[in-house]
Amino acid sequence: MGIPIDISEAAGVRYLHFGSDWVQGAMRIRKPNALELAYTREMMAGLLLRDGLHENPAQDAGQWPRKVLIIGLGAASLAKFVYRHCPQARIQVVEIEPSVVAAARQFFRLPPEDGRFSIHVGCGAQYVLERERRFDYVLVDGFDRNARAGALDTLPFYQALRTRLTAQGLIAVNLFGRSRGYKASLERMITAFDDRVLAFPSCDSGNVVAFCADGEPVERDIPELRRRAAALKAASGLDLLPTVTRLEQAGTLPGGVLTL
């Protein structure tokens, strides 16, 4: 039996729920391709760390990311953003619940599958463990109706994810910063990625986005992050300047440099 799906609307925003008041995704009806929730915006901060669409939006040759894996579809916010703003990217979504895919199609304007966008219905952890494909960007945002990540928050899963990254690979994981398991989750990532992990300061919602890297190192100082954020905003409408400010104010960047 699948999870219960509920849809609500308020102030021009449509919300996805799994049988409770807990918000599992959101879409501003007049801006269906925008990232409505703060944590989803921060999950796209990898575009500040690698040379992505903000560098030269007129040319897609060589742009990052070219291969994207999204685990957990929700209201399809991340999938739609990448599909629209990263035309060079091939996108693989893995979603365990068929009813979530159906709801995304009916209520959240999920793009049709085509040569660069496909959906696999199944367990995200199992998909990573069994497939040999490698990805530039992996976005992990999978929770059940009780906000539990299950197999998507285990050391074997994070270790397997690391082996699925390209030389420029990055992973963004949505965590709940106020939940009891948050620090344990971060420790598992630190173990799997040999300390190449950065947890962004908690959003107002309590969500924390953690980034993990393998391969080529990332080193961006604050002026460079601000320049890239301004270019990204101009290219896509995504405003990560407040995120850069929060990183700076939280003392997360020693010496004013983001290193990953």
Side-chain angles (χ1 to χ4, degrees), residues 35-218:
L35 295 171
E36 179 66 21
L37 301 179
Y39 87 87
T40 60
R41 296 193 289 272
E42 297 203 341
M43 288 190 76
M44 293 309 305
L47 294 171
L48 304 181
L49 308 182
R50 300 292 193 199
D51 292 333
L53 63 92
H54 54 86
E55 293 299 307
N56 190 348
Q59 298 179 5
D60 71 301
Q63 281 189 347
W64 185 96
R66 300 194 75 83
K67 292 175 286 185
V68 178
L69 173 63
I70 301 174
I71 298 177
L73 177 64
S77 300
L78 294 169
K80 289 187 297 183
F81 182 88
V82 176
Y83 187 80
R84 177 166 183 173
H85 294 292
C86 302
Q88 78 284 356
R90 288 183 175 270
I91 305 155
Q92 176 68 62
V93 173
V94 181
E95 169 56 53
I96 198 168
E97 286 287 345
S99 56
V100 172
V101 179
R105 286 197 177 108
Q106 183 175 356
F107 298 105
F108 295 98
R109 304 193 192 180
L110 179 69
E113 293 184 70
D114 58 21
R116 51 180 293 258
F117 178 67
S118 61
I119 298 171
H120 171 80
V121 177
C123 171
Q126 188 175 351
Y127 183 92
V128 169
L129 288 165
E130 293 180 353
R131 300 298 200 284
E132 296 295 328
R133 295 176 63 187
R134 291 179 179 266
F135 297 92
D136 300 316
Y137 205 10
V138 181
L139 303 165
V140 183
D141 187 22
F143 296 93
D144 65 15
R145 61 185 298 185
N146 299 308
R148 293 178 302 207
L152 300 179
D153 184 25
T154 62
L155 182 57
F157 173 67
Y158 294 130
Q159 290 170 327
L161 270 184
R162 183 175 180 178
T163 70
R164 299 293 177 258
L165 292 180
T166 63
Q168 286 200 321
L170 290 179
I171 296 169
V173 183
N174 175 28
L175 301 170
F176 287 100
R178 296 173 190 166
S179 70
R180 290 175 298 174
Y182 159 63
K183 289 185 179 179
S185 300
L186 208 53
E187 286 297 326
R188 285 188 279 275
M189 291 181 200
I190 289 169
T191 298
F193 286 87
D194 294 328
D195 210 20
R196 290 188 64 184
V197 177
L198 175 65
F200 281 25
S202 176
C203 302
D204 292 341
S205 62
N207 295 72
V208 166
V209 175
F211 280 84
C212 311
D214 195 32
E216 296 177 18
V218 175

Side-chain angles (χ1 to χ4, degrees), residues 22-40:
W22 196 282
V23 172
Q24 298 284 351
M27 177 186 74
R28 187 163 294 277
I29 296 169
R30 287 192 172 185
K31 297 180 178 180
N33 294 303
L35 295 171
E36 179 66 21
L37 301 179
Y39 87 87
T40 60

